[in-house]
Amino acid sequence: MVTRLALDARSLFTAAEIEARTNRSPLVEAEHLLLAMSAHPATDAGQVLASAGLTHEALERALATEFEASLAAGGVSVSAGGPPRPSPGPRRRLRLSASFKAAMERSVTAAAGSRQIRPAHLLLGVLGAQAGTVPRALRLAGVDRAGLATLTRQALSG
Amino acid sequence: MPALEIDPTSGPADGLAAVVALRRLADLTEDAEVERAMRSGWSWPQVAEALGVTRQAVHKKHAQRLIAAGVDLRRR
């Protein structure tokens, strides 16, 4: 079975890569895909996120909070200036992380029977993670992941 | 047995997330500090010695990024 990637879903991949580079990450992670969705409010996924108050800025804040909380769990606090910000790497293809690939696999499953993989399918894939940065950031921001997934399914069927 | 339903902010989840966050902080710190040393005129062998890695390793990991950032790396 080959399911095609919708055009706006494809452009989210490029946007996720830019988010990764902006965040000085050597890999494109699931959270970068989520950030990319929030920056594209015209997509079905972007609309679901916006309806839950998850703007790009709100997500960035949630991810920063998760990073600080996790460092604190490891006994480390970042100075007032925040974590170091080295110059970004050169523009080139970044490799996909395990969290990104797992989200993709869940998206393909969620899109089974559909003509193409929509951004909302990608969002379902990202929301399907049980552990790791995305579910932690959403939990710390007080977001109900299951509720968000229900909204996403409604957006897909509506 | 079905997989345990896990709380993403429980004790074990916090501990594992600490590993991820500390690795990320170490990577960010390495990138920033290698950049600072090279902007201050350090040579690749000096940076490598300070980090306890080979010159080839530090060069391979950082040269492209520093060139893109406009750091002059000639005769290092």
Side-chain angles (χ1 to χ4, degrees), chain A residues 93-109:
Chain A
R93 279 268 109 133
L94 297 180
R95 284 185 305 123
L96 305 177
S97 72
S99 72
F100 188 102
K101 289 177 187 168
M104 272 309 297
E105 279 170 24
R106 287 188 295 265
S107 305
V108 171
T109 306

Side-chain angles (χ1 to χ4, degrees), chain A residues 103-152:
Chain A
M104 272 309 297
E105 279 170 24
R106 287 188 295 265
S107 305
V108 171
T109 306
S114 312
R115 273 182 40 247
Q116 49 184 6
I117 301 175
R118 312 251 339 113
H121 291 122
L122 298 180
L123 179 53
L124 281 177
V126 171
L127 292 175
Q130 285 200 30
T133 304
V134 169
R136 284 173 62 78
L138 293 179
R139 169 68 68 88
L140 291 172
V143 175
D144 167 23
R145 218 156 25 95
L148 203 55
T150 304
L151 279 178
T152 311

Side-chain angles (χ1 to χ4, degrees), chain A residues 23-24 26 63 66-67 70-71 73-74 76 78 83-90 92 130-133 135-136 139-140 145, chain B residues 4-10 13-15 17-22 24-25 27-29 31-33 35 39 64-66 68-69:
Chain A
N23 283 285
R24 313 297 193 255
L63 287 164
E66 190 281 329
F67 186 44
S70 300
L71 285 176
V76 169
V78 210
R85 274 193 76 72
S87 296
R92 58 157 182 236
Q130 285 200 30
T133 304
R136 284 173 62 78
R139 169 68 68 88
L140 291 172
R145 218 156 25 95
Chain B
L4 172 73
E5 190 68 27
I6 54 173
D7 175 351
T9 50
S10 64
D14 275 349
V19 176
V20 176
L22 289 167
R24 181 168 165 227
L25 182 64
D27 285 343
L28 287 172
T29 307
D31 285 0
E33 294 304 332
E35 183 170 346
R39 284 189 194 279
Q64 273 198 328
R65 184 176 58 86
L66 295 182

